[in-house]
Amino acid sequence: MAIVIDGKLISQQIQEELALEVKTIKTNGGKTPHLAAILVGNDGASETYVGAKVKACEKIGFKSTLVRLSQDTTEQELLYIIKGLNADADIDGYIVQLPLPKHINEQHIIEAVDPKKDVDGFHPQSVGRMALNLPTYLPATPYGILQLLERYKIETVGKHCVVIGRSHIVGSPMSILMARNTNPGNCTVTMCHSRTANLKEFTLKADIIIVALGKPEFLTADMVKDGVVVIDVGITRVTSDSTKSGFKLLGDVKYDEVAAKSSFITPVPGGVGPMTIASLLVNTLKASKKEVYK
Ligand code: NAP
């Protein structure tokens, strides 16, 4: 039976470690790390995500600033706010919560963020530096997965890792990170997507499978070999008669049957999800300490 990777616990541990470090920094008269977040419009899920990030900052002693903008904010107006955050010496790092309203070009916004403050790791410079294994801010979800693999001491060297999904925020960076000459890393990586023919042929050979496609219970027991490590990134809200709220969250993995064949597996919820905030906070502290860009 699989060891269940407890992302909630690891995320809490990381946040406690960060809180201790911030306390020491403050005691020694150092600068309080400061994260800002821009939220455009009032999408319910985005409000929840940003709210959780701000709350996490407060809990560990960071400063946080939430910039709320209305749904009809223009791209020019948003670029002006970004210019201000780039120039604000007190703000160490900031995020622009995605998705943005349709009339704003996301790529223009991502590229306007000063790479020195790009704690989401989405700027092309950050992505390029990641690929070249240079110091940078790693995107939060993939970074969170690396931290889970590291803290559970999961061997990755020489393993065959299959990544399903090639989004810019999860699948693509994950495939780069698992192939890098780092630990965790040094895998032989197969990147799969919606055009992959015979996906099962690849998953059956995988030692590690990272699933990030957003299709509930997509990965089934017949697609994996015994002893596989399974990292489930998917989160889909589905209606349910068995919960008070009337909905539940499902991952991309048919959990019970795949867990029975796995050596390690992340649950949903409580696996990869909680790690995203922890990684963002780690990146913000790095920005504050000027660890990435001196
Ligand atoms: P996305 O941008 O929609 O990308 C999905 C990827 O899956 C695409 O590359 C797509 O291929 C591929 N795909 C779709 N159907 C497939 C199939 N049948 N076989 C193989 N590949 C297929 O999704 P995302 O943003 O990466 O998010 C993926 C999931 O992770 C979602 O459930 C999301 O909610 C969740 N997520 C969780 C966290 C977190 O835990 N903190 C963070 C981010 C995302 P093509 O490129 O060919 O279209």
Side-chain angles (χ1 to χ4, degrees):
M1 195 59 189
I3 293 175
V4 179
I5 297 176
D6 190 342
K8 209 171 156 193
L9 178 75
I10 301 291
S11 174
Q12 268 165 15
Q13 282 173 356
I14 291 173
Q15 291 183 52
E16 279 163 21
E17 290 161 18
L18 290 171
L20 270 180
E21 195 170 343
V22 174
K23 206 172 161 195
T24 310
I25 290 171
K26 287 183 184 173
T27 309
N28 295 335
K31 180 184 180 306
T32 302
H34 187 174
L35 175 74
I38 303 178
L39 177 62
V40 186
N42 30 34
D43 172 73
S46 294
E47 294 245 7
T48 308
Y49 293 143
V50 169
K53 288 167 189 173
V54 168
K55 213 167 126 194
C57 281
E58 286 164 6
K59 211 174 95 193
I60 65 165
F62 284 12
K63 255 169 94 175
S64 65
T65 298
L66 176 56
V67 184
R68 275 180 173 277
L69 301 171
S70 66
Q71 177 75 15
D72 58 2
T73 303
T74 65
E75 188 172 309
Q76 277 315 106
E77 286 166 341
L78 181 53
L79 287 169
Y80 183 76
I81 302 278
I82 285 179
K83 220 172 152 187
L85 294 182
N86 285 343
D88 186 333
D90 193 60
I91 289 173
D92 299 300
Y94 68 94
I95 59 162
V96 183
Q97 186 65 40
L98 302 178
L100 290 167
K102 296 253 177 307
H103 62 274
I104 299 178
N105 181 318
E106 273 185 12
Q107 199 55 32
H108 291 168
I109 301 306
I110 288 169
E111 291 187 29
V113 174
D114 180 348
K116 292 189 179 72
K117 299 191 176 191
D118 178 33
V119 286
D120 253 344
F122 293 162
H123 191 285
Q125 180 172 311
S126 305
V127 179
R129 290 177 70 91
M130 171 184 68
L132 295 169
N133 204 359
L134 294 169
T136 190
Y137 304 109
L138 298 180
T141 303
Y143 189 18
I145 294 171
L146 290 188
Q147 293 184 79
L148 289 178
L149 293 170
E150 193 179 346
R151 291 194 182 222
Y152 274 82
K153 298 187 170 36
I154 294 171
E155 186 62 77
T156 60
V157 182
K159 304 291 182 192
H160 179 204
C161 175
V162 167
V163 179
I164 310 177
R166 58 178 165 187
S167 72
H168 291 171
I169 58 164
V170 189
S172 286
M174 209 58 241
S175 67
I176 293 169
L177 291 165
M178 294 305 281
R180 292 196 318 182
N181 182 7
T182 51
N183 187 26
N186 278 308
C187 285
T188 303
V189 174
T190 304
M191 150 66 73
C192 299
H193 44 76
S194 69
R195 304 298 186 89
T196 299
N198 304 321
L199 179 80
K200 189 172 163 181
E201 269 179 30
F202 299 105
T203 56
L204 272 173
K205 287 190 192 133
D207 303 307
I208 301 169
I209 307 179
I210 300 172
V211 205
L213 71 163
K215 292 204 167 23
E217 302 188 327
F218 176 86
L219 190 81
T220 47
D222 61 307
M223 296 170 78
V224 306
K225 69 177 183 186
D226 282 325
V228 66
V229 174
V230 176
I231 306 292
D232 187 355
V233 187
I235 310 174
T236 307
R237 199 171 135 142
V238 295
T239 52
S240 166
D241 296 334
S242 60
T243 61
K244 237 188 191 172
S245 60
F247 71 86
K248 62 179 176 181
L249 297 177
L250 283 183
D252 287 347
V253 176
K254 193 142 194 174
Y255 184 80
D256 288 340
E257 61 176 54
V258 174
K261 291 180 83 176
S262 310
S263 54
F264 291 90
I265 190 165
T266 59
V268 175
V272 173
M275 294 301 295
T276 301
I277 287 185
S279 303
L280 176 67
L281 298 172
V282 172
N283 278 346
T284 304
L285 183 62
K286 283 185 179 173
S288 178
K289 288 163 70 184
K290 309 230 175 315
E291 268 181 19
V292 174
Y293 296 93
K294 304 292 169 206

